[in-house]
Each structure stands twice: as structure tokens, then as C-alpha cells.
Amino acid sequence: MLKLFYAPQSCALASHIALQEAGAAYEAVRVDFANGAQRQPDYLKINPKGRVPALLTDRGILTETPAILFYIAQTHPKAALAPQDDPFEIGRLQAFTSYLCSTVHVAHAHRMRGYRWADDEASFADMKRKVPQTVAACFELIEREMFIGPWVMGEKFSIADPYLYTLATWLEGDGVDPAQFPKIADHRQRMSARPAVAQVLAAHN
């Protein structure tokens, strides 16, 4: 059985939803970030990065959201969470999830993790002030150029949808009004209505 290590209000929500949508047999293990469990030796043996998500499989441990999402899609093909037989569409899906991971999530992280990029605390405040602008710019690009509708990739729900949903739930905290992105706001509402999402959110509260 798969074992997902997650923390509430983290990007692990995307992998958790994907597992539920795939109908996977899995156990979800909550990592208590508030008490620093992610930095304890037992968890660092699982993920030396001290982050979530981490997915324990029968062949070892996977980390990083895009990798976990594609693993779930490929090991549960009947769920049709990725275009298995179309290299170009797979490439588009990878491009989208890579953008969320490398750009959107990083822009968000500048709000509370400036210490990753600078030592001067004055720099932290400057990074935090910039977050509403940089995050909004990311979502403006997604809304205008990358989101097809009604789901990220078009008519078919995919692993990109729980990932976009997860990051979109952070908009208000980043000082961004979701109303300025009507397609993304509608997507967030429709995601919230999915039974798998409701079940997972209950575990993250």
C-alpha cells in the first residue's frame, strides 16, 4: 500500500487529492509541521529535504509534487489522470505542472520563507511586499494562456487540476483577489464540489 506523508495547507494536498481521484489504496500520514516533525530524524530518513509531500511506494520513496502526480497517473491508468498515449499532451501536462512547481509555488514561498534566498531580514520584508504582484502575474498568465477549460487541459480532468486547485487556494493569503481570474475561480469552485476533494479536505482540517 502507498503511504503519503502530508501536512495541512501544504502542496501535498494536490497529491492527496490525486490519490483519492485515482481510487488508490493508500495511507495518509500527517506530519506535524507546527511542532517541527519535518525536521526530526525519523522524518528526515523518509525525506531528507524535510518537506512534504513524500510518497512511500513498494520500490522506494518519491518526493516533489510533479513526480508524485505523474507516478499516481501512470500506476493507475484506468483513472485517466494523464494522456498516457500522446507524447505532446504529456509534454503540455509536464510543462504546466513544472510551471506551478518552479515558478508559482516559489513566488508564493517568498511571503513566508525569504530566509531561503537572503540573510538580511529587511530583504524578507521586501520579498513579502512583492508577493501579491508576482503571484497575481503568475495566475494572470495561467488564466490568459495556459488554462483551456473546463479543466486545465481541456475536457478531461487530469493531475494538473488538483495541483492548480491547491495553489489557487493560497491566493487570498498571498493578497490576491481570485475574482480577477474568473476561469480559475470557477475551477476552484468546481474542484471543491468533487467528492474526492471534499474527502481529502476533511483530513487536512
Side-chain angles (χ1 to χ4, degrees):
M1 178 184 290
L2 299 171
K3 184 179 290 188
L4 176 72
F5 295 87
Y6 76 97
Q9 300 176 344
S10 75
C11 62
L13 177 64
S15 298
H16 203 165
I17 292 172
L19 285 167
Q20 195 71 23
E21 291 279 0
Y26 72 95
E27 176 188 357
V29 180
R30 187 168 178 146
V31 181
D32 187 356
F33 274 31
N35 291 318
Q38 75 275 23
R39 295 186 294 273
Q40 296 303 310
D42 286 348
Y43 186 69
L44 291 175
K45 290 177 183 177
I46 296 166
N47 186 359
K49 301 168 188 174
R51 302 180 188 178
V52 292
L55 185 69
L56 177 62
T57 78
D58 60 358
R59 295 181 60 184
I61 294 169
L62 290 172
T63 62
E64 302 300 332
T65 296
I68 292 172
L69 290 175
F70 275 93
Y71 175 85
I72 293 168
Q74 290 185 309
T75 53
H76 298 81
K78 291 182 179 179
L81 295 177
Q84 307 283 352
D85 58 352
D86 188 329
F88 182 77
E89 287 299 293
I90 291 174
R92 285 205 315 117
L93 184 56
Q94 289 178 322
F96 190 90
T97 58
S98 295
Y99 181 70
L100 294 183
C101 181
S102 66
T103 303
V104 184
H105 195 164
V106 173
H108 159 80
H110 278 68
R111 176 162 61 90
M112 73 292 285
R113 298 191 179 94
Y115 58 83
R116 290 182 180 174
W117 298 281
D119 294 320
D120 187 343
E121 290 196 10
S123 298
F124 304 167
D126 193 32
M127 291 182 207
K128 186 175 181 178
R129 283 191 296 270
K130 188 78 169 177
V131 165
Q133 179 183 340
T134 54
V135 169
C138 291
F139 277 90
E140 194 278 330
L141 177 64
I142 293 171
E143 174 92 3
R144 186 185 74 244
E145 301 289 347
M146 302 173 72
F147 185 92
I148 296 177
W151 302 109
V152 169
M153 300 291 291
E155 294 295 326
K156 293 185 178 180
F157 183 93
S158 74
I159 52 173
D161 291 294
Y163 202 3
L164 175 61
Y165 170 75
T166 296
L167 272 58
T169 63
W170 300 344
L171 282 170
E172 288 90 342
D174 287 338
V176 180
D177 182 2
Q180 63 186 297
F181 311 115
K183 291 191 290 187
I184 293 171
D186 176 69
H187 177 267
R188 196 169 81 168
Q189 289 180 342
R190 285 184 291 107
M191 282 293 298
S192 296
R194 293 178 73 89
V197 175
Q199 291 170 1
V200 169
L201 287 177
H204 283 245
N205 290 331

